[in-house]
Amino acid sequence: MPEHEGDYRALRRKIMGYIVSQAIFAVTEAGVVDLLAEGPVEVETLAGEARVDADALTRFLRVLVAEDLFVEEPRGTFGLTASGELLRSDQPGSLRHLVTLMRGESYLAWQDAGHSLRTGQAGFDAVFGKPLFEWLAAHPSQAADFDAAQAGLVAKRMEPLLGSAWWDWSGTSSVVDVGGGNGTLLGALLARHGHLTGRLFDQPHVVEHADLTAHGAGVADRCEVVGGDFFAAVPGGADVYLLAQILHDWSDEDAVLILRRIREAIPPHGRLLILEQIIPDDDRPHPEKLLDLHMLVLLGGRERGEAEWRGLLVEGGFDLVEVHRGPRSSLLVAASAE
């Protein structure tokens, strides 16, 4: 092999990485992954069931075989690998929702990643002419897809929080889910703990799509749905306030403002539970470092390390009390500063 040939090939793969991500989205959206749930299928049959071109499907899957998502055995017959199984819609721990979020407007925002590099601001605003959440408010169909994908991601990350592994819910009577979207997390929490009452708080056009009845009998009766703006005020007086995958959407300045609004609302005995990622301090590759860049380009937000979380909470009027690290998300428990 000529000198540096290995580096050349590796760099080409990195530069063309977007092709892999969009190929994953295309075959997932077409239903190819779910059609392979029962085992390998011959490509002509698979293409017919998915209503796609057989030759094109072969070429898409050839790329994804090399990414260890599919196997071709025998030739012309494709199946899923263990990694590919994680793209199935019915698979526990599925990453299908992440695939959904990484297409469309989220993907197009990366056309102006240079804007984010130059300014430290969201590239989405430069491409679409307004911030993401304003744009979604004017595009109901895309907003519904976005909210559903977010709910799906939270659903996979929240399991340790629902039980007692991270927080003892027996001493809690009331919860406010700040930025709680369509109620996926709060509904599951109330369904698991029948003594809890809750308030679902988000923008009016978001909470109008909440359906707490989907979580079982009696849940909606114990939950109040409140529309508002968490930069202005949040409902007061609850024992616990939840922020699940919210603060990473925002710059430090905006995140501190959200925290201060919660600090104004929370009683002295209350606790703030933050469900987020924590970026490792080392220099090894890690998905959260990629997500950190995506949050910058999409929203002007950021992922944070533990020291950054501590500093942010102090600025917002809280002290970090506990940290529970998990494989998908971590829980930061905070109390009002003296």
Side-chain angles (χ1 to χ4, degrees), residues 183-252:
T184 295
L185 173 55
L186 185 58
L189 185 62
L190 296 181
R192 184 77 65 92
H193 302 283
H195 68 285
L196 288 177
T197 61
R199 274 172 281 180
L200 176 65
F201 181 73
D202 210 316
Q203 297 176 81
H205 77 273
V206 174
V207 295
E208 71 179 6
H209 299 293
D211 181 12
L212 279 302
T213 63
H215 298 276
V219 173
D221 296 341
R222 291 182 282 121
C223 184
E224 179 185 5
V225 177
V226 183
D229 177 4
F230 52 39
F231 289 113
V234 302
D239 298 326
V240 165
Y241 284 74
L242 289 176
L243 282 170
Q245 305 295 131
I246 299 299
L247 294 181
H248 74 160
D249 291 346
W250 303 97
S251 66
D252 286 347

Side-chain angles (χ1 to χ4, degrees), residues 98 100-113 115-117 120-136 146 150 153 248-251 290-303:
L98 183 60
T100 301
L101 283 175
M102 291 300 163
R103 60 89 170 107
E105 53 274 8
S106 295
Y107 172 66
L108 294 175
W110 275 88
Q111 292 181 62
D112 212 346
H115 174 81
S116 296
L117 179 61
Q121 304 298 315
F124 185 97
D125 302 26
V127 174
F128 288 88
K130 61 180 64 176
L132 173 64
F133 293 125
E134 288 185 25
W135 187 87
L136 288 173
F146 181 86
Q150 291 286 358
L153 289 173
H248 74 160
D249 291 346
W250 303 97
S251 66
L290 296 175
L291 185 59
D292 177 47
L293 267 189
H294 188 60
M295 299 314 296
L296 169 60
V297 171
L298 195 64
L299 289 158
R302 67 189 309 139
E303 303 299 327

Side-chain angles (χ1 to χ4, degrees), residues 8-315:
Y8 174 77
R9 290 179 179 175
L11 182 56
R12 283 186 65 196
R13 282 177 54 83
K14 290 180 172 66
I15 292 170
M16 300 175 75
Y18 73 93
I19 296 174
V20 175
S21 67
Q22 294 307 298
I24 292 171
F25 166 70
V27 299
T28 302
E29 183 190 40
V32 171
V33 175
D34 285 344
L35 288 170
L36 294 174
E38 299 301 321
V41 177
E42 194 274 330
V43 71
E44 294 286 346
T45 301
L46 184 60
E49 293 177 350
R51 298 183 179 180
V52 298
D53 182 82
D55 176 66
L57 179 59
T58 301
R59 294 159 71 183
F60 270 77
L61 293 179
R62 181 172 60 194
V63 168
L64 298 179
V65 164
E67 299 297 329
D68 193 34
L69 297 176
F70 296 86
V71 292
E72 185 181 10
E73 197 173 287
R75 188 171 180 83
T77 297
F78 292 91
L80 295 170
T81 66
S83 294
E85 293 279 348
L86 290 173
L87 296 172
R88 284 171 48 187
S89 59
D90 62 345
Q91 185 77 358
S94 174
L95 289 175
R96 185 186 183 93
H97 298 293
L98 183 60
V99 174
T100 301
L101 283 175
M102 291 300 163
R103 60 89 170 107
E105 53 274 8
S106 295
Y107 172 66
L108 294 175
W110 275 88
Q111 292 181 62
D112 212 346
H115 174 81
S116 296
L117 179 61
R118 292 188 300 272
T119 67
Q121 304 298 315
F124 185 97
D125 302 26
V127 174
F128 288 88
K130 61 180 64 176
L132 173 64
F133 293 125
E134 288 185 25
W135 187 87
L136 288 173
H139 296 79
S141 177
Q142 289 88 340
D145 290 344
F146 181 86
D147 291 341
Q150 291 286 358
L153 289 173
V154 170
K156 303 306 179 185
R157 291 167 172 157
M158 69 185 181
E159 191 60 33
L161 179 63
L162 296 181
S164 58
W166 283 353
W167 181 255
D168 182 6
W169 292 103
S170 64
T172 301
S173 61
S174 57
V175 182
V176 176
D177 191 356
V178 179
N182 63 11
T184 295
L185 173 55
L186 185 58
L189 185 62
L190 296 181
R192 184 77 65 92
H193 302 283
H195 68 285
L196 288 177
T197 61
R199 274 172 281 180
L200 176 65
F201 181 73
D202 210 316
Q203 297 176 81
H205 77 273
V206 174
V207 295
E208 71 179 6
H209 299 293
D211 181 12
L212 279 302
T213 63
H215 298 276
V219 173
D221 296 341
R222 291 182 282 121
C223 184
E224 179 185 5
V225 177
V226 183
D229 177 4
F230 52 39
F231 289 113
V234 302
D239 298 326
V240 165
Y241 284 74
L242 289 176
L243 282 170
Q245 305 295 131
I246 299 299
L247 294 181
H248 74 160
D249 291 346
W250 303 97
S251 66
D252 286 347
E253 181 181 9
D254 286 335
V256 165
L257 183 55
I258 296 168
L259 289 171
R260 288 177 178 170
R261 296 293 85 86
I262 296 174
R263 177 66 178 83
E264 293 166 0
I266 197 170
H269 71 275
R271 290 293 183 268
L272 171 62
L273 307 185
I274 300 173
L275 191 68
E276 290 273 8
Q277 290 73 231
I278 299 177
I279 294 183
D281 293 331
D282 57 49
D283 58 359
R284 290 177 295 178
H286 196 280
E288 305 312 334
K289 296 176 182 178
L290 296 175
L291 185 59
D292 177 47
L293 267 189
H294 188 60
M295 299 314 296
L296 169 60
V297 171
L298 195 64
L299 289 158
R302 67 189 309 139
E303 303 299 327
R304 297 171 174 94
E306 185 172 332
E308 292 172 303
W309 279 115
R310 287 184 183 276
L312 193 74
L313 285 164
V314 168
E315 287 292 314

